[in-house]
Short mmCIF file of all heavy atoms in Angstrom, two decimals:
data_model
loop_
_atom_site.label_atom_id
_atom_site.label_comp_id
_atom_site.label_asym_id
_atom_site.label_seq_id
_atom_site.Cartn_x
_atom_site.Cartn_y
_atom_site.Cartn_z
N GLY A 8 -38.18 106.58 302.89
CA GLY A 8 -39.53 106.17 302.49
C GLY A 8 -40.49 107.35 302.48
O GLY A 8 -41.24 107.58 301.56
N GLY A 9 -40.39 108.13 303.59
CA GLY A 9 -41.26 109.30 303.70
C GLY A 9 -41.01 110.32 302.59
O GLY A 9 -41.93 110.84 301.98
N LEU A 10 -39.73 110.52 302.32
CA LEU A 10 -39.36 111.46 301.27
C LEU A 10 -39.90 110.99 299.92
O LEU A 10 -40.44 111.79 299.14
CB LEU A 10 -37.82 111.61 301.19
CG LEU A 10 -37.33 112.68 300.26
CD1 LEU A 10 -37.61 114.06 300.82
CD2 LEU A 10 -35.81 112.53 300.02
N ALA A 11 -39.72 109.68 299.66
CA ALA A 11 -40.19 109.14 298.38
C ALA A 11 -41.68 109.30 298.23
O ALA A 11 -42.18 109.71 297.15
CB ALA A 11 -39.81 107.64 298.29
N ARG A 12 -42.42 109.07 299.30
CA ARG A 12 -43.87 109.21 299.23
C ARG A 12 -44.21 110.68 298.95
O ARG A 12 -45.10 110.97 298.16
CB ARG A 12 -44.52 108.81 300.57
CG ARG A 12 -45.24 107.45 300.52
CD ARG A 12 -46.15 107.28 301.72
NE ARG A 12 -45.47 107.49 302.98
CZ ARG A 12 -44.61 106.60 303.55
NH1 ARG A 12 -44.40 105.44 302.95
NH2 ARG A 12 -44.04 106.85 304.68
N LYS A 13 -43.50 111.57 299.61
CA LYS A 13 -43.75 113.00 299.44
C LYS A 13 -43.48 113.43 298.01
O LYS A 13 -44.33 114.12 297.39
CB LYS A 13 -42.83 113.77 300.39
CG LYS A 13 -43.18 115.24 300.48
CD LYS A 13 -42.48 115.82 301.72
CE LYS A 13 -43.10 117.16 302.02
NZ LYS A 13 -42.55 117.72 303.23
N VAL A 14 -42.34 113.01 297.48
CA VAL A 14 -41.98 113.34 296.10
C VAL A 14 -43.00 112.77 295.13
O VAL A 14 -43.47 113.43 294.24
CB VAL A 14 -40.56 112.83 295.75
CG1 VAL A 14 -40.31 112.88 294.28
CG2 VAL A 14 -39.53 113.63 296.53
N GLY A 15 -43.42 111.49 295.39
CA GLY A 15 -44.42 110.86 294.56
C GLY A 15 -45.72 111.66 294.59
O GLY A 15 -46.36 111.87 293.56
N GLY A 16 -46.09 112.10 295.77
CA GLY A 16 -47.31 112.87 295.91
C GLY A 16 -47.27 114.18 295.14
O GLY A 16 -48.23 114.53 294.44
N ILE A 17 -46.13 114.85 295.21
CA ILE A 17 -45.98 116.12 294.49
C ILE A 17 -46.08 115.89 292.99
O ILE A 17 -46.71 116.66 292.25
CB ILE A 17 -44.65 116.82 294.86
CG1 ILE A 17 -44.72 117.33 296.30
CG2 ILE A 17 -44.33 117.94 293.91
CD1 ILE A 17 -43.39 117.72 296.85
N ALA A 18 -45.46 114.80 292.55
CA ALA A 18 -45.48 114.50 291.11
C ALA A 18 -46.89 114.09 290.65
O ALA A 18 -47.34 114.50 289.61
CB ALA A 18 -44.50 113.38 290.81
N ALA A 19 -47.58 113.34 291.50
CA ALA A 19 -48.90 112.86 291.15
C ALA A 19 -49.92 114.02 291.14
O ALA A 19 -50.84 114.08 290.32
CB ALA A 19 -49.37 111.75 292.11
N ASP A 20 -49.71 114.95 292.08
CA ASP A 20 -50.57 116.13 292.19
C ASP A 20 -50.68 116.88 290.84
O ASP A 20 -51.75 117.33 290.46
CB ASP A 20 -49.99 117.11 293.20
CG ASP A 20 -50.77 117.09 294.50
OD1 ASP A 20 -51.60 116.17 294.64
OD2 ASP A 20 -50.55 117.98 295.34
N ASP A 21 -49.56 117.02 290.22
CA ASP A 21 -49.55 117.76 288.95
C ASP A 21 -48.37 117.24 288.12
O ASP A 21 -47.23 117.66 288.27
CB ASP A 21 -49.37 119.26 289.24
CG ASP A 21 -49.68 120.08 288.00
OD1 ASP A 21 -49.72 119.47 286.91
OD2 ASP A 21 -49.88 121.30 288.14
N PRO A 22 -48.64 116.29 287.22
CA PRO A 22 -47.57 115.65 286.43
C PRO A 22 -46.81 116.65 285.58
O PRO A 22 -45.66 116.38 285.14
CB PRO A 22 -48.33 114.67 285.53
CG PRO A 22 -49.66 114.52 286.15
CD PRO A 22 -49.96 115.78 286.85
N ARG A 23 -47.37 117.87 285.39
CA ARG A 23 -46.64 118.87 284.60
C ARG A 23 -45.36 119.31 285.30
O ARG A 23 -44.45 119.83 284.68
CB ARG A 23 -47.57 120.09 284.39
CG ARG A 23 -48.81 119.79 283.59
CD ARG A 23 -49.65 121.02 283.39
NE ARG A 23 -49.99 121.65 284.68
CZ ARG A 23 -50.61 122.80 284.82
NH1 ARG A 23 -50.93 123.48 283.73
NH2 ARG A 23 -50.88 123.31 285.99
N ARG A 24 -45.33 119.08 286.61
CA ARG A 24 -44.11 119.44 287.35
C ARG A 24 -42.94 118.58 286.91
O ARG A 24 -41.80 119.07 286.75
CB ARG A 24 -44.31 119.24 288.85
CG ARG A 24 -45.27 120.28 289.38
CD ARG A 24 -45.64 120.01 290.83
NE ARG A 24 -46.47 121.09 291.33
CZ ARG A 24 -47.13 121.04 292.47
NH1 ARG A 24 -47.06 119.93 293.19
NH2 ARG A 24 -47.86 122.05 292.86
N VAL A 25 -43.22 117.30 286.70
CA VAL A 25 -42.15 116.39 286.23
C VAL A 25 -41.71 116.86 284.84
O VAL A 25 -40.52 116.95 284.53
CB VAL A 25 -42.66 114.94 286.18
CG1 VAL A 25 -41.54 113.99 285.70
CG2 VAL A 25 -43.14 114.54 287.55
N ALA A 26 -42.70 117.17 283.99
CA ALA A 26 -42.40 117.61 282.64
C ALA A 26 -41.56 118.86 282.67
O ALA A 26 -40.57 118.99 281.92
CB ALA A 26 -43.69 117.88 281.85
N HIS A 27 -41.90 119.79 283.58
CA HIS A 27 -41.11 121.02 283.68
C HIS A 27 -39.67 120.74 284.06
O HIS A 27 -38.75 121.30 283.44
CB HIS A 27 -41.75 121.94 284.71
CG HIS A 27 -40.95 123.15 285.02
ND1 HIS A 27 -40.75 124.17 284.13
CD2 HIS A 27 -40.24 123.51 286.13
CE1 HIS A 27 -39.96 125.08 284.64
NE2 HIS A 27 -39.63 124.71 285.89
N SER A 28 -39.47 119.84 285.04
CA SER A 28 -38.12 119.53 285.44
C SER A 28 -37.30 118.98 284.27
O SER A 28 -36.16 119.33 284.06
CB SER A 28 -38.16 118.47 286.57
OG SER A 28 -38.98 118.93 287.60
N LEU A 29 -37.92 118.06 283.51
CA LEU A 29 -37.21 117.47 282.38
C LEU A 29 -36.95 118.55 281.31
O LEU A 29 -35.89 118.52 280.66
CB LEU A 29 -38.04 116.33 281.79
CG LEU A 29 -38.23 115.14 282.73
CD1 LEU A 29 -39.08 114.07 282.09
CD2 LEU A 29 -36.87 114.56 283.14
N LYS A 30 -37.88 119.49 281.15
CA LYS A 30 -37.70 120.54 280.18
C LYS A 30 -36.50 121.41 280.51
O LYS A 30 -35.72 121.82 279.64
CB LYS A 30 -38.95 121.39 280.08
CG LYS A 30 -39.97 120.88 279.10
CD LYS A 30 -41.38 121.28 279.44
CE LYS A 30 -41.63 122.75 279.25
NZ LYS A 30 -43.01 123.12 279.64
N VAL A 31 -36.32 121.72 281.81
CA VAL A 31 -35.17 122.52 282.21
C VAL A 31 -33.89 121.76 281.88
O VAL A 31 -32.93 122.33 281.33
CB VAL A 31 -35.21 122.83 283.76
CG1 VAL A 31 -33.93 123.51 284.19
CG2 VAL A 31 -36.39 123.72 284.04
N GLY A 32 -33.89 120.45 282.22
CA GLY A 32 -32.71 119.65 281.90
C GLY A 32 -32.43 119.66 280.39
O GLY A 32 -31.28 119.83 279.95
N LEU A 33 -33.50 119.53 279.58
CA LEU A 33 -33.37 119.50 278.13
C LEU A 33 -32.76 120.81 277.62
O LEU A 33 -31.82 120.82 276.83
CB LEU A 33 -34.74 119.26 277.51
CG LEU A 33 -34.79 119.23 276.00
CD1 LEU A 33 -34.04 118.01 275.45
CD2 LEU A 33 -36.25 119.19 275.52
N ALA A 34 -33.33 121.95 278.05
CA ALA A 34 -32.88 123.26 277.58
C ALA A 34 -31.40 123.46 277.92
O ALA A 34 -30.61 123.93 277.10
CB ALA A 34 -33.71 124.36 278.22
N LEU A 35 -31.03 123.04 279.14
CA LEU A 35 -29.63 123.20 279.55
C LEU A 35 -28.70 122.36 278.66
O LEU A 35 -27.61 122.79 278.27
CB LEU A 35 -29.46 122.82 281.00
CG LEU A 35 -29.47 123.94 282.00
CD1 LEU A 35 -29.33 123.39 283.40
CD2 LEU A 35 -28.32 124.89 281.68
N THR A 36 -29.12 121.11 278.39
CA THR A 36 -28.30 120.22 277.60
C THR A 36 -28.16 120.80 276.19
O THR A 36 -27.06 120.79 275.61
CB THR A 36 -28.92 118.84 277.56
OG1 THR A 36 -29.35 118.50 278.88
CG2 THR A 36 -27.95 117.78 277.08
N LEU A 37 -29.27 121.30 275.63
CA LEU A 37 -29.23 121.88 274.29
C LEU A 37 -28.22 123.03 274.22
O LEU A 37 -27.39 123.11 273.28
CB LEU A 37 -30.61 122.41 273.90
CG LEU A 37 -31.63 121.43 273.43
CD1 LEU A 37 -32.95 122.12 273.13
CD2 LEU A 37 -31.12 120.68 272.22
#
Side-chain angles (χ1 to χ4, degrees):
Chain A
L10 187 72
R12 254 195 308 283
K13 190 164 196 175
V14 167
I17 290 167
D20 255 12
D21 194 344
R23 297 180 304 173
R24 290 172 175 168
V25 181
H27 172 68
S28 306
L29 296 178
K30 272 153 69 182
V31 173
L33 179 67
L35 263 178
T36 316
L37 281 179

